[in-house]
Each structure stands twice: as C-alpha cells, then as structure tokens.
Coordinates of all heavy atoms in Angstrom, one line a residue:
M232 N 8.7 15.9 -2.4 CA 8.7 14.6 -1.8 C 7.5 13.8 -2.1 O 6.4 14.4 -2.1 CB 8.9 14.7 -0.3 CG 9.1 13.4 0.4 SD 9.6 13.8 2.1 CE 8.6 12.5 2.9
K233 N 7.6 12.5 -2.4 CA 6.5 11.7 -2.7 C 5.6 11.5 -1.5 O 6.1 11.5 -0.4 CB 6.9 10.3 -3.2 CG 7.6 10.3 -4.5 CD 7.9 8.8 -4.8 CE 8.7 8.7 -6.1 NZ 9.0 7.3 -6.4
E234 N 4.3 11.4 -1.8 CA 3.4 11.1 -0.7 C 3.5 9.6 -0.4 O 3.6 8.8 -1.3 CB 1.9 11.4 -1.1 CG 1.7 12.9 -1.1 CD 0.2 13.2 -1.3 OE1 -0.6 12.4 -0.8 OE2 -0.1 14.2 -1.9
R235 N 3.6 9.3 0.9 CA 3.7 7.9 1.3 C 2.4 7.3 1.7 O 1.7 7.9 2.6 CB 4.7 7.8 2.4 CG 4.9 6.4 3.0 CD 5.9 6.4 4.1 NE 7.2 6.3 3.5 CZ 8.3 6.3 4.2 NH1 8.3 6.4 5.5 NH2 9.5 6.1 3.6
I236 N 2.0 6.2 1.1 CA 0.7 5.6 1.4 C 0.9 4.2 1.9 O 1.7 3.4 1.2 CB -0.2 5.5 0.1 CG1 -0.2 6.9 -0.7 CG2 -1.6 5.0 0.4 CD1 -0.8 8.0 0.1
A237 N 0.4 3.8 3.0 CA 0.4 2.5 3.5 C -0.8 1.7 3.0 O -1.9 2.1 3.0 CB 0.3 2.5 5.1
V238 N -0.5 0.5 2.4 CA -1.5 -0.3 1.7 C -1.5 -1.7 2.3 O -0.4 -2.3 2.4 CB -1.3 -0.3 0.2 CG1 -2.3 -1.2 -0.5 CG2 -1.3 1.1 -0.4
E239 N -2.6 -2.2 2.6 CA -2.8 -3.6 3.1 C -2.2 -4.5 2.0 O -2.5 -4.3 0.8 CB -4.2 -3.9 3.4 CG -4.4 -5.2 4.1 CD -5.9 -5.4 4.5 OE1 -6.7 -4.4 4.4 OE2 -6.2 -6.5 4.8
D240 N -1.5 -5.6 2.4 CA -0.8 -6.4 1.5 C -1.8 -7.2 0.5 O -1.3 -7.5 -0.6 CB 0.1 -7.4 2.2 CG -0.6 -8.4 3.1 OD1 -1.9 -8.3 3.2 OD2 0.0 -9.3 3.7
K241 N -3.0 -7.3 0.8 CA -4.0 -7.9 -0.1 C -4.3 -7.1 -1.3 O -4.8 -7.6 -2.3 CB -5.3 -8.2 0.6 CG -5.3 -9.1 1.8 CD -6.7 -9.1 2.4 CE -6.6 -9.8 3.8 NZ -7.9 -9.8 4.4
L242 N -3.9 -5.8 -1.3 CA -4.3 -4.9 -2.4 C -3.2 -4.6 -3.3 O -2.8 -3.4 -3.5 CB -4.8 -3.6 -1.7 CG -6.0 -3.8 -0.8 CD1 -6.3 -2.5 0.0 CD2 -7.2 -4.2 -1.6
S243 N -2.6 -5.6 -4.0 CA -1.5 -5.4 -4.9 C -1.8 -4.6 -6.1 O -1.0 -3.8 -6.5 CB -0.9 -6.8 -5.3 OG -1.9 -7.5 -6.0
E244 N -3.1 -4.6 -6.6 CA -3.4 -3.8 -7.7 C -3.5 -2.3 -7.3 O -3.1 -1.5 -8.1 CB -4.8 -4.2 -8.2 CG -4.8 -5.5 -9.0 CD -6.2 -5.9 -9.5 OE1 -7.0 -5.0 -9.7 OE2 -6.4 -7.1 -9.7
V245 N -3.9 -2.0 -6.1 CA -3.9 -0.7 -5.6 C -2.4 -0.2 -5.5 O -2.1 0.9 -5.9 CB -4.6 -0.6 -4.2 CG1 -4.5 0.8 -3.6 CG2 -6.1 -0.9 -4.4
S246 N -1.6 -1.0 -4.9 CA -0.1 -0.6 -4.8 C 0.5 -0.3 -6.1 O 1.1 0.7 -6.3 CB 0.6 -1.8 -4.1 OG 0.2 -2.0 -2.8
Q247 N 0.2 -1.1 -7.1 CA 0.8 -0.9 -8.5 C 0.2 0.4 -9.0 O 0.9 1.2 -9.6 CB 0.5 -2.1 -9.4 CG 1.2 -2.0 -10.7 CD 2.7 -1.8 -10.5 OE1 3.3 -2.6 -9.8 NE2 3.2 -0.9 -11.2
E248 N -1.1 0.6 -8.9 CA -1.7 1.9 -9.4 C -1.1 3.1 -8.8 O -0.7 4.1 -9.5 CB -3.2 1.9 -9.1 CG -4.0 3.1 -9.5 CD -4.2 3.3 -10.9 OE1 -4.0 2.4 -11.7 OE2 -4.6 4.4 -11.3
L249 N -0.9 3.1 -7.5 CA -0.3 4.2 -6.8 C 1.1 4.5 -7.2 O 1.6 5.6 -7.4 CB -0.4 4.0 -5.3 CG -1.8 4.1 -4.7 CD1 -1.9 3.7 -3.2 CD2 -2.5 5.4 -5.0
K250 N 1.9 3.4 -7.3 CA 3.3 3.5 -7.8 C 3.4 4.1 -9.1 O 4.3 4.9 -9.4 CB 4.0 2.1 -7.7 CG 4.3 1.6 -6.3 CD 4.9 0.2 -6.4 CE 5.1 -0.3 -5.0 NZ 5.5 -1.7 -5.0
T251 N 2.5 3.7 -10.0 CA 2.5 4.2 -11.4 C 2.3 5.7 -11.4 O 2.8 6.4 -12.3 CB 1.3 3.5 -12.2 OG1 1.6 2.1 -12.3 CG2 1.2 4.0 -13.6
F252 N 1.5 6.2 -10.5 CA 1.2 7.6 -10.4 C 2.1 8.4 -9.4 O 1.8 9.5 -9.0 CB -0.2 7.9 -10.1 CG -1.1 7.7 -11.3 CD1 -1.5 6.4 -11.6 CD2 -1.4 8.7 -12.1 CE1 -2.3 6.2 -12.8 CE2 -2.2 8.5 -13.3 CZ -2.6 7.2 -13.6
G253 N 3.3 7.8 -9.1 CA 4.3 8.5 -8.3 C 4.2 8.5 -6.8 O 5.0 9.1 -6.1
Y254 N 3.3 7.7 -6.3 CA 3.2 7.6 -4.8 C 4.2 6.6 -4.3 O 4.6 5.6 -5.0 CB 1.8 7.1 -4.4 CG 0.7 8.1 -4.5 CD1 -0.1 8.1 -5.7 CD2 0.5 9.0 -3.6 CE1 -1.1 9.1 -5.8 CE2 -0.5 10.0 -3.7 CZ -1.3 10.0 -4.8 OH -2.3 10.9 -5.0
E255 N 4.7 6.8 -3.1 CA 5.6 5.8 -2.5 C 4.7 4.9 -1.7 O 3.9 5.4 -0.8 CB 6.6 6.5 -1.5 CG 7.5 5.5 -0.8 CD 8.4 6.2 0.2 OE1 8.5 7.4 0.2 OE2 9.1 5.4 0.9
V256 N 4.7 3.6 -1.9 CA 3.8 2.6 -1.3 C 4.6 1.8 -0.2 O 5.7 1.3 -0.6 CB 3.2 1.7 -2.3 CG1 2.3 0.7 -1.6 CG2 2.3 2.5 -3.3
V257 N 4.1 1.8 1.0 CA 4.7 0.9 2.0 C 3.7 -0.1 2.5 O 2.5 0.1 2.4 CB 5.3 1.8 3.2 CG1 6.4 2.8 2.7 CG2 4.2 2.6 3.8
D258 N 4.2 -1.1 3.1 CA 3.4 -2.1 3.7 C 2.6 -1.6 4.9 O 3.2 -0.7 5.6 CB 4.2 -3.4 4.1 CG 4.7 -4.2 3.0 OD1 4.1 -4.1 1.9 OD2 5.7 -4.8 3.2
L259 N 1.4 -2.0 5.1 CA 0.7 -1.6 6.3 C 1.1 -2.4 7.5 O 0.9 -3.6 7.5 CB -0.8 -1.8 6.0 CG -1.8 -1.5 7.1 CD1 -1.7 0.0 7.6 CD2 -3.2 -1.8 6.7
D260 N 1.7 -1.7 8.4 CA 2.0 -2.4 9.7 C 2.0 -1.3 10.8 O 1.9 -0.1 10.5 CB 3.3 -3.1 9.7 CG 4.5 -2.3 9.4 OD1 4.6 -1.2 10.0 OD2 5.4 -2.7 8.7
N261 N 2.0 -1.7 12.0 CA 1.8 -0.8 13.1 C 3.0 0.1 13.3 O 2.9 1.1 14.1 CB 1.6 -1.6 14.4 CG 0.2 -2.2 14.4 OD1 -0.7 -1.7 13.8 ND2 0.1 -3.3 15.2
T262 N 4.1 -0.1 12.7 CA 5.3 0.6 13.0 C 5.5 1.8 12.1 O 6.3 2.7 12.4 CB 6.6 -0.2 12.9 OG1 6.7 -0.7 11.5 CG2 6.5 -1.4 13.9
N263 N 4.9 1.9 10.9 CA 5.1 3.0 10.0 C 4.0 4.0 9.8 O 4.1 4.8 9.0 CB 5.6 2.4 8.7 CG 4.5 1.7 7.9 OD1 3.3 1.6 8.4 ND2 4.8 1.1 6.8
L264 N 3.0 3.9 10.6 CA 1.8 4.7 10.3 C 2.0 6.2 10.7 O 1.2 7.1 10.2 CB 0.6 4.2 11.1 CG 0.1 2.8 10.5 CD1 -1.1 2.4 11.3 CD2 -0.2 2.9 9.0
A265 N 2.9 6.5 11.5 CA 3.2 7.9 11.8 C 3.7 8.7 10.6 O 3.6 9.9 10.6 CB 4.1 8.1 13.0
D266 N 4.3 8.0 9.7 CA 5.0 8.6 8.6 C 4.3 8.5 7.3 O 4.9 8.7 6.2 CB 6.4 8.0 8.4 CG 7.3 8.1 9.6 OD1 7.2 9.2 10.3 OD2 8.0 7.2 9.9
V267 N 3.0 8.2 7.3 CA 2.3 8.0 6.0 C 1.2 9.2 5.8 O 0.8 9.8 6.8 CB 1.6 6.7 5.9 CG1 2.6 5.5 5.9 CG2 0.5 6.5 6.9
N268 N 0.8 9.4 4.6 CA -0.1 10.4 4.3 C -1.5 9.8 4.2 O -2.5 10.6 4.2 CB 0.2 11.1 2.9 CG 1.6 11.7 3.0 OD1 2.6 11.1 2.6 ND2 1.7 12.9 3.5
A269 N -1.7 8.5 4.0 CA -3.0 7.9 4.0 C -2.7 6.4 4.2 O -1.6 5.9 4.0 CB -3.7 8.1 2.6
V270 N -3.8 5.7 4.6 CA -3.8 4.3 4.8 C -4.9 3.7 4.0 O -6.1 4.2 4.1 CB -4.0 3.9 6.3 CG1 -4.1 2.4 6.6 CG2 -2.9 4.6 7.2
V271 N -4.6 2.6 3.3 CA -5.7 1.9 2.5 C -5.8 0.5 3.0 O -4.9 -0.2 3.1 CB -5.3 1.9 1.0 CG1 -6.4 1.2 0.2 CG2 -5.1 3.3 0.4
I272 N -7.1 0.2 3.4 CA -7.4 -1.2 3.9 C -8.4 -1.8 2.9 O -9.1 -1.1 2.2 CB -7.9 -1.2 5.3 CG1 -9.2 -0.3 5.4 CG2 -6.8 -0.7 6.3 CD1 -9.9 -0.4 6.8
S273 N -8.4 -3.1 3.0 CA -9.4 -3.8 2.1 C -10.8 -3.8 2.6 O -11.7 -3.9 1.8 CB -8.9 -5.3 1.9 OG -9.1 -6.0 3.1
G274 N -11.0 -3.6 3.9 CA -12.3 -3.6 4.4 C -12.9 -5.0 4.6 O -14.0 -5.1 5.1
M275 N -12.1 -6.0 4.3 CA -12.6 -7.4 4.4 C -12.6 -7.8 5.9 O -13.4 -8.6 6.3 CB -11.8 -8.3 3.6 CG -11.9 -8.1 2.1 SD -13.6 -8.2 1.6 CE -13.4 -8.1 -0.1
D276 N -11.6 -7.3 6.6 CA -11.5 -7.7 8.0 C -12.1 -6.5 8.8 O -11.8 -5.4 8.6 CB -10.0 -7.8 8.4 CG -9.7 -9.0 9.2 OD1 -10.6 -9.7 9.6 OD2 -8.5 -9.3 9.3
K277 N -12.9 -6.8 9.8 CA -13.6 -5.7 10.5 C -12.5 -4.9 11.3 O -12.7 -3.7 11.6 CB -14.6 -6.2 11.5 CG -15.9 -6.6 10.7 CD -17.0 -6.8 11.7 CE -18.2 -7.1 10.9 NZ -19.5 -6.9 11.5
N278 N -11.4 -5.6 11.7 CA -10.4 -4.9 12.5 C -9.1 -5.2 12.0 O -8.2 -5.7 12.6 CB -10.5 -5.4 14.0 CG -9.8 -4.4 14.9 OD1 -9.5 -3.3 14.6 ND2 -9.5 -4.9 16.1
T279 N -8.9 -4.8 10.7 CA -7.6 -5.0 10.1 C -6.4 -4.4 10.8 O -6.5 -3.3 11.2 CB -7.6 -4.4 8.6 OG1 -8.7 -5.0 7.9 CG2 -6.3 -4.6 7.9
M280 N -5.4 -5.2 11.1 CA -4.2 -4.8 11.8 C -4.5 -4.2 13.1 O -3.8 -3.3 13.6 CB -3.4 -3.8 10.9 CG -3.0 -4.3 9.6 SD -1.7 -5.6 9.8 CE -0.4 -4.6 10.5
D281 N -5.6 -4.6 13.7 CA -6.1 -4.0 15.0 C -6.2 -2.5 14.9 O -5.7 -1.7 15.7 CB -5.1 -4.4 16.1 CG -5.7 -4.2 17.5 OD1 -6.9 -4.2 17.6 OD2 -4.9 -4.1 18.5
M282 N -6.9 -2.1 13.8 CA -7.0 -0.6 13.5 C -7.6 0.2 14.6 O -7.4 1.4 14.7 CB -7.8 -0.4 12.2 CG -7.1 -1.0 11.0 SD -5.5 -0.3 10.7 CE -5.9 1.3 10.1
S283 N -8.4 -0.4 15.5 CA -9.0 0.3 16.5 C -8.0 0.9 17.5 O -8.4 1.8 18.3 CB -10.1 -0.5 17.3 OG -9.5 -1.6 17.9
T284 N -6.8 0.4 17.6 CA -5.8 0.8 18.5 C -4.7 1.6 17.9 O -3.8 2.0 18.6 CB -5.3 -0.3 19.3 OG1 -4.6 -1.2 18.4 CG2 -6.3 -1.0 20.1
I285 N -4.7 1.8 16.6 CA -3.6 2.4 15.9 C -3.8 3.9 16.0 O -4.9 4.5 15.7 CB -3.5 2.0 14.4 CG1 -3.1 0.5 14.4 CG2 -2.6 2.8 13.6 CD1 -3.0 -0.1 13.0
Q286 N -2.7 4.6 16.2 CA -2.7 6.1 16.3 C -2.1 6.6 15.0 O -1.0 6.4 14.7 CB -1.8 6.6 17.5 CG -2.3 6.1 18.8 CD -3.6 6.8 19.2 OE1 -3.8 8.0 19.0 NE2 -4.5 6.1 19.8
T287 N -2.9 7.4 14.2 CA -2.5 8.0 13.0 C -3.4 9.2 12.7 O -4.6 9.2 13.0 CB -2.4 7.1 11.8 OG1 -1.9 7.8 10.7 CG2 -3.8 6.5 11.5
N288 N -2.8 10.2 12.2 CA -3.5 11.4 11.7 C -3.9 11.2 10.3 O -4.7 12.0 9.7 CB -2.7 12.7 11.9 CG -2.6 13.0 13.4 OD1 -3.4 12.8 14.2 ND2 -1.4 13.6 13.7
A289 N -3.4 10.2 9.6 CA -3.6 10.0 8.2 C -5.0 9.5 8.0 O -5.5 8.7 8.8 CB -2.6 9.0 7.6
P290 N -5.7 9.8 6.9 CA -7.0 9.3 6.6 C -6.9 7.8 6.3 O -5.9 7.4 5.7 CB -7.5 10.1 5.4 CG -6.2 10.6 4.8 CD -5.2 10.8 5.9
I291 N -7.9 7.0 6.8 CA -7.9 5.6 6.5 C -9.0 5.4 5.4 O -10.2 5.8 5.6 CB -8.3 4.8 7.7 CG1 -7.1 5.0 8.8 CG2 -8.4 3.3 7.4 CD1 -7.4 4.4 10.1
I292 N -8.6 4.9 4.3 CA -9.5 4.7 3.2 C -9.9 3.2 3.1 O -9.0 2.3 2.9 CB -8.9 5.1 1.8 CG1 -8.6 6.6 1.9 CG2 -9.8 4.8 0.7 CD1 -7.8 7.2 0.8
N293 N -11.2 2.9 3.2 CA -11.7 1.6 3.1 C -12.0 1.3 1.6 O -12.9 1.9 1.1 CB -13.0 1.4 3.9 CG -13.5 0.0 3.9 OD1 -13.3 -0.8 3.1 ND2 -14.3 -0.3 4.9
G294 N -11.1 0.4 1.1 CA -11.2 0.2 -0.4 C -12.3 -0.9 -0.8 O -12.4 -1.2 -2.0
R295 N -13.0 -1.3 0.2 CA -14.0 -2.4 -0.1 C -15.0 -1.9 -1.2 O -15.6 -0.8 -1.1 CB -14.8 -2.8 1.1 CG -15.7 -3.9 0.9 CD -16.3 -4.4 2.2 NE -17.0 -5.7 1.9 CZ -17.6 -6.3 2.8 NH1 -17.7 -5.9 4.1 NH2 -18.2 -7.4 2.6
G296 N -15.1 -2.7 -2.3 CA -16.0 -2.4 -3.4 C -15.5 -1.3 -4.4 O -16.2 -0.9 -5.3
M297 N -14.2 -0.9 -4.2 CA -13.7 0.2 -5.0 C -12.6 -0.4 -5.9 O -11.9 -1.4 -5.5 CB -13.0 1.3 -4.2 CG -14.1 2.0 -3.3 SD -13.3 3.2 -2.1 CE -12.7 4.5 -3.2
T298 N -12.4 0.1 -7.1 CA -11.3 -0.3 -8.0 C -10.1 0.4 -7.5 O -10.1 1.4 -6.8 CB -11.6 0.1 -9.4 OG1 -11.6 1.5 -9.6 CG2 -12.9 -0.6 -9.9
A299 N -8.9 0.0 -8.1 CA -7.7 0.7 -7.8 C -7.7 2.1 -8.2 O -7.2 3.0 -7.5 CB -6.5 -0.1 -8.4
V300 N -8.3 2.4 -9.3 CA -8.4 3.8 -9.8 C -9.3 4.6 -8.9 O -8.9 5.8 -8.6 CB -8.9 3.8 -11.3 CG1 -9.2 5.2 -11.8 CG2 -8.0 3.1 -12.2
Q301 N -10.4 4.1 -8.4 CA -11.2 4.8 -7.5 C -10.5 5.1 -6.2 O -10.7 6.3 -5.7 CB -12.5 4.0 -7.2 CG -13.5 3.9 -8.4 CD -14.6 3.0 -8.2 OE1 -14.4 1.9 -7.6 NE2 -15.8 3.3 -8.7
I302 N -9.7 4.2 -5.7 CA -9.0 4.5 -4.5 C -7.9 5.6 -4.7 O -7.8 6.5 -3.9 CB -8.3 3.2 -4.0 CG1 -9.4 2.2 -3.5 CG2 -7.3 3.4 -2.9 CD1 -8.9 0.8 -3.2
R303 N -7.2 5.5 -5.9 CA -6.2 6.5 -6.2 C -6.9 7.9 -6.3 O -6.4 8.9 -5.8 CB -5.5 6.2 -7.5 CG -4.5 7.4 -7.8 CD -3.8 7.1 -9.1 NE -4.6 6.7 -10.2 CZ -5.3 7.6 -11.0 NH1 -5.3 8.9 -10.8 NH2 -6.0 7.1 -12.0
N304 N -8.1 7.9 -6.9 CA -8.8 9.2 -7.1 C -9.2 9.7 -5.7 O -9.2 10.9 -5.5 CB -10.1 9.0 -7.9 CG -9.7 8.9 -9.4 OD1 -8.7 9.3 -9.8 ND2 -10.6 8.2 -10.2
E305 N -9.6 8.8 -4.8 CA -10.0 9.3 -3.4 C -8.7 9.9 -2.7 O -8.9 10.9 -2.0 CB -10.5 8.1 -2.6 CG -11.0 8.4 -1.2 CD -12.2 9.3 -1.2 OE1 -13.0 9.4 -2.2 OE2 -12.4 10.1 -0.2
I306 N -7.6 9.2 -2.9 CA -6.4 9.8 -2.3 C -6.0 11.1 -2.9 O -5.7 12.1 -2.2 CB -5.2 8.8 -2.4 CG1 -5.5 7.5 -1.6 CG2 -3.9 9.4 -2.1 CD1 -4.5 6.4 -1.9
D307 N -6.2 11.2 -4.2 CA -5.9 12.5 -4.9 C -6.8 13.6 -4.4 O -6.4 14.8 -4.3 CB -6.1 12.3 -6.4 CG -4.9 11.6 -7.1 OD1 -3.9 11.4 -6.4 OD2 -5.1 11.1 -8.2
K308 N -8.1 13.3 -4.2 CA -9.0 14.3 -3.7 C -8.6 14.8 -2.3 O -8.8 16.0 -2.0 CB -10.4 13.7 -3.6 CG -11.2 13.7 -4.8 CD -12.7 13.4 -4.6 CE -13.0 12.4 -3.6 NZ -14.4 11.9 -3.6
R309 N -8.2 13.9 -1.5 CA -7.8 14.3 -0.1 C -6.5 15.1 0.0 O -6.4 16.0 0.8 CB -7.8 13.1 0.8 CG -9.2 12.5 0.9 CD -9.2 11.3 1.9 NE -10.5 10.6 1.8 CZ -10.9 9.9 2.8 NH1 -10.1 9.6 3.9 NH2 -12.1 9.3 2.7
K310 N -5.5 14.6 -0.7 CA -4.2 15.3 -0.7 C -3.8 15.7 0.6 O -3.4 16.9 0.9 CB -4.1 16.4 -1.7 CG -4.1 16.0 -3.2 CD -2.8 15.3 -3.5 CE -2.8 15.0 -5.0 NZ -1.7 14.2 -5.3
I311 N -3.8 14.8 1.6 CA -3.4 15.1 3.0 C -1.9 15.1 3.0 O -1.3 14.1 2.6 CB -4.0 14.1 4.0 CG1 -5.5 14.1 3.8 CG2 -3.6 14.4 5.4 CD1 -6.2 15.4 4.2
K312 N -1.2 16.1 3.5 CA 0.2 16.1 3.7 C 0.6 15.9 5.1 O -0.1 16.4 6.0 CB 0.8 17.4 3.2 CG 0.4 17.8 1.8 CD 1.2 16.9 0.8 CE 0.9 17.5 -0.6 NZ 1.2 16.6 -1.6
N313 N 1.6 15.1 5.4 CA 2.2 15.0 6.7 C 3.0 16.2 7.1 O 3.7 16.8 6.3 CB 3.0 13.7 6.9 CG 2.2 12.6 7.6 OD1 1.1 12.8 8.0 ND2 2.9 11.5 7.6

C-alpha cells in the first residue's frame, strides 16, 4: 500500500515530487490526518490549519527553506507507517 502524505495546497511542487515517487498525496485538512503517514506544511503560517489543535501521530515536516527533493528525502528517512 502506498504511503499517504498530506501536503499543504501551496506546495504543488512537493505534491508532484511525491506522486512521481509513488506516494499518495492528499490535501491537508483537519478531516484526513488520522489516515496519513506524514504531514508537510509550508511553514509560512505560524499556525497552518490550526495545527496546534490537530491530533495526529504522523510526523509534521516543516518544508520552509527546503526543496521538494529535500522534503521527499526527509519523508524517505522517516518511513513512518500508519
């Protein structure tokens, strides 16, 4: 089964990179976080999607200052499974 990654909508290059390497990419919203293996945020907003109140066991990756490839590499390193 593909790993499912929630990606903030501002990060279209990251979404494309992950899809190219076989990840399932879903929009970041409060309703799907229980079913994802990682969450990628842009880091531009201090409280993106009200992240301080979201419940998830998935790692949250702040992509600020990182390329799409660097973010994919970070996800690959972690390989967290739900």
